[in-house]
Every structure is written in structure tokens, then in C-alpha cells.
Amino acid sequence: MADSLTLPHSRLRSSGGTPIVLVIGGGASGNAITILLRRAGIAVDLVEARPDWNATTGSGITLQGNALRVLRELGVWEQVEASGYAFGSLGVTAPDGTVLFVAEDIQTGGEDLPATLGMQRPRLQQLLINAVRASGAGVRLGTTAEALEQDADGVSVRFSDGTSGRYDLVVAADGLNSATRAAIGIAEKAEPTGMAIWRIAAPRPESVTRTDLAYGGPAYIAGYCPTSENTIYAYVVEACRDRAAIDPATYADEMRRLAQGYGGAWPEITEHITDPKKVNYTWFDRLLVEGSWHRGRVVLIGDAAHCCPPTMAQGAAMSLEDASVLAELLTSGRDWDDELLQGYHDRRISRVRTVVEASVQIGQWQLDGVRDADIAGLVGSTMNLLKERP
């Protein structure tokens, strides 16, 4: 099934002409860099493996200020603000719902943006899809890049439908299990951290006006985030199990069993954990590609280069920042050479490494049963670092 905006069979850059970029993957980072490059007048083709462009999957997402800053750069901030639920604090509770303390969130995007905003993930994806379409990029859905052949001047790509194209640069935004990453000889793969998460979208209890996290109880973490005036997404984190051994028909039963051990707003939330098709179960993974994030004229972005558990809610933010930094460099007037692409990596690696390692550490402390872990200190130092522009 192909989108109505299709790619020509071959696109060649003439001498001194406008460069042509292929973006593989239509998630947050792929959509974002497409929008930014098109704004600069660069021709972009985007291919996405899923025919539905991931427009209906996912429950909710927590976006902190540094993510909102990039969404403002993309021109969708006003729609995001209208669609989501902004708040500025984080509550930590006992499993029975007793509030232990409330901390003010750090405004990593600056004082003119909320510290945190929750929204329904499909709504965010739809806003980005609309912006990609409005940009005039070529789009093909249900299509993958099957083969890439590089030379000194560009990349020849053969697609899954038998068509082909010629590009000056290929941006691999095809996610955690990136086939493009493997195709260009980067061997790193995502590794499970030992934790897994149950997620569901649910109606918002009137009392839920921020994220609250309960540590301990039947699971390691139980939390929720308001995603609009009427909705939240709720989640429970436990040790990972063999996914093949869990019948998807029991997903609601499994999540409800864990959630019933929590007080506060949880009894009201648990009433809505009934449909197994609305419950998602996912392992936490870790990935950080060491060394360069490019090979020749193919460059990794977002989860294809790095991913981390959502213990700090920074995964999407790191992907969006990648897009912003890479687009800035590609539109700077400099040659698209090894120096520029290595410069992209060099600007990102320290910041991304800090987030990945902190996110993994928070989970590891819980797996190891460390009772005096300074989670608040680690989160605070990391978030203060993220106030600086990438």
C-alpha cells in the first residue's frame, strides 16, 4: 500500500543542483529532520515501513522542555500545547498513594515553555505527519530500503517495491532495530536492561494533574501522566519476562493484577484496565553506538543511534534534538563531508551518553535493590545539563 505522494524511480543531483536526501523511517526524528530540511529548500524523500505511518499506535508520551523546544522549531508547538496537558511538578508517592514529596520540574526548554507536557502519542505523530505532508516532501508508506550502494558522490538505493533512487545523503531514522544500521556495518544492537513496562491509555481522574511515581509495591514503578484534559497514560514497570510466554489475551489481567496493589488515583485507573488490546507490554532496551554515527553518506539519527529506558522520559527528546542539530549542520552551507557528519556526532555524544547512562542507572538501582540511591540527585544534575542548548 503506497501513499499518494510517491517517489520518482530515479532522482539524480545535477552539478551544483539542490541536494536530495532520503530519510528512512517516519518516527519523531525522521519526521522532524524532513520538516527542517524541506524548510531550507532541500529535496527530501521519506519512506516508512508501516502503511499506517504509526499514526494509531502508542498510549501516551511525556515531553520535557528540551523536546518542546524542538517541536516549537518545527512549527507545531501551538498545536501540541492545545492537544496536551502541561504541568510543572513531579510527585513521589508510597504504594498506598501517600504523597511523600513533590519536586518542581526543571524547565529544560527555557522559561517560556512548560517544564513538562503529556500528550497522546498518536496525536503527536499525527501533528508531525501533517507537517511533513505540508512541507512538500515525497512520502512512500509500506516501503523499506532494501539495498544501499555508496560511491564518492552519493548513495543508490533500491526499495522493497523494486523502484530505486539516487541520493546525496541517507538519514537512517528507522528505529531501535534499524536495518540500515546493520547494512552499513555498524554491529551494535539494542540490549535489554532487565525491566519491562505495561502501558495503557485511560480517562483522567480529576485528581491527576501531574506525573506521580510510586516506587516499590508489587512492581518497581507505578506511574501515570496526564495527556489531555480527559486522558492519561498509566504504566507499571516490573522485571522483564519471556514475552513469548505471555498470552496477549491476558495483557489486561496481568497489568490490572499489578496495578491493584497501588492506592491514590490507581483504583480509579484500574477500573479501565479491561481490554487486552489496549494494553502494551514492552521491554526496556539500551543502545549507544560508539564511534561515528555515519558511514560515508549514510548517517544514523534517533533510536537508530541510541535509545534508553523511559525512566527519565528523555527518549523522544534526544531523537528530536538529533534532528535539530543534524539539520542545522546540513543547512549551514558547509560541504556534506566526513568532517560535518563527525561534527554532528561530536555535538551529540556527550549529552546523549549522559542521558542513556542515567536512565539505565535509575533502573539498575531498583533491580539491585539499592535503597539509598540518589535518584533525585542524578535526575537533577542531568536535567540541569539539558537546559543548555544541544
Side-chain angles (χ1 to χ4, degrees):
M1 176 180 177
D3 190 80
S4 59
L5 297 171
T6 58
L7 304 176
H9 285 233
S10 179
R11 300 187 70 172
L12 298 173
R13 179 185 180 186
S14 59
S15 177
T18 302
I20 300 168
V21 175
L22 173 66
V23 175
I24 302 174
S29 61
N31 290 337
I33 196 161
T34 298
I35 295 162
L36 294 172
L37 294 181
R38 284 297 302 133
R39 183 181 299 164
I42 294 171
V44 182
D45 289 333
L46 183 149
V47 294
E48 163 55 43
R50 289 181 60 108
D52 66 354
W53 206 340
N54 289 296
T56 60
T57 56
S59 49
I61 187 169
T62 303
L63 300 165
Q64 291 168 335
N66 55 319
L68 302 179
R69 183 166 53 202
V70 180
L71 292 170
R72 182 172 60 188
E73 183 183 357
L74 297 175
V76 299
W77 162 238
E78 291 184 358
Q79 295 163 292
V80 166
E81 183 180 30
S83 299
Y85 193 105
F87 54 97
S89 61
L90 169 73
V92 175
T93 76
D96 66 2
T98 302
V99 177
L100 302 177
F101 67 88
V102 177
E104 293 300 309
D105 286 338
I106 294 171
Q107 291 178 274
T108 55
E111 294 184 0
D112 56 343
L113 287 169
T116 311
L117 179 140
M119 69 182 303
Q120 298 170 72
R121 187 179 286 270
R123 177 57 179 160
L124 175 61
Q125 176 70 352
Q126 190 60 58
L127 293 177
L128 294 175
I129 287 171
N130 294 345
V132 170
R133 291 191 185 281
S135 77
V139 176
R140 182 179 291 176
L141 304 179
T143 305
T144 59
E146 294 290 285
L148 298 86
E149 294 185 5
Q150 299 197 55
D151 56 38
D153 299 317
V155 187
S156 296
V157 183
R158 187 178 77 249
F159 298 102
S160 56
D161 60 1
T163 61
S164 60
R166 175 77 174 170
Y167 298 91
D168 297 279
L169 185 73
V170 173
V171 178
D174 50 344
L176 179 64
N177 298 310
S178 170
T180 314
R181 183 179 67 229
I184 61 174
I186 296 178
E188 282 102 330
K189 296 181 180 180
E191 298 178 350
T193 68
M195 283 183 159
I197 187 168
W198 298 90
R199 295 184 176 99
I200 193 169
R204 183 179 73 88
E206 187 176 349
S207 64
V208 174
T209 58
R210 63 175 184 240
T211 286
D212 283 329
L213 298 174
Y215 292 95
Y220 290 114
I221 307 170
Y224 44 74
C225 174
T227 53
S228 73
E229 285 295 326
N230 301 315
T231 59
I232 65 165
Y233 83 99
Y235 45 90
V236 182
V237 178
E238 63 168 358
C240 63
R241 304 187 233 165
D242 181 359
R243 284 173 285 201
I246 308 174
D247 182 353
T250 68
Y251 274 14
D253 295 338
E254 292 290 335
M255 184 175 182
R256 189 170 58 252
R257 177 180 60 80
L258 292 167
Q260 284 173 339
Y262 294 93
W266 274 101
E268 190 173 347
I269 295 168
T270 304
E271 290 179 3
H272 300 281
I273 307 176
T274 57
D275 185 348
K277 294 180 181 178
K278 294 182 179 180
V279 177
N280 174 261
Y281 177 75
T282 310
W283 284 8
F284 284 176
D285 290 300
R286 177 198 187 280
L287 171 70
L288 182 61
V289 172
E290 300 291 350
S292 298
W293 290 354
H294 76 285
R295 297 292 185 271
R297 291 174 173 264
V298 181
V299 59
L300 307 179
I301 189 173
D303 285 356
H306 51 80
C307 76
C308 56
T311 47
M312 293 187 64
Q314 275 290 315
M318 290 298 100
S319 293
L320 290 168
E321 285 187 0
D322 282 356
S324 177
V325 170
L326 183 57
E328 176 192 327
L329 293 171
L330 293 175
T331 59
S332 65
R334 295 168 52 191
D335 289 339
W336 293 6
D337 54 15
D338 279 337
E339 182 180 358
L340 182 143
L341 296 177
Q342 185 62 43
Y344 153 67
H345 166 273
D346 293 347
R347 273 184 58 178
R348 296 299 295 144
I349 187 63
S350 177
R351 188 176 177 100
V352 169
R353 186 187 302 281
T354 297
V355 168
V356 170
E357 291 182 349
S359 299
V360 172
Q361 181 64 75
I362 290 170
Q364 192 61 51
W365 277 331
Q366 294 169 79
L367 288 168
D368 293 342
V370 178
R371 295 185 177 276
D372 59 349
D374 186 13
I375 294 176
L378 180 59
V379 171
S381 63
T382 304
M383 290 301 173
N384 274 309
L385 179 150
L386 296 177
K387 289 171 67 175
E388 301 297 325
R389 286 187 172 269

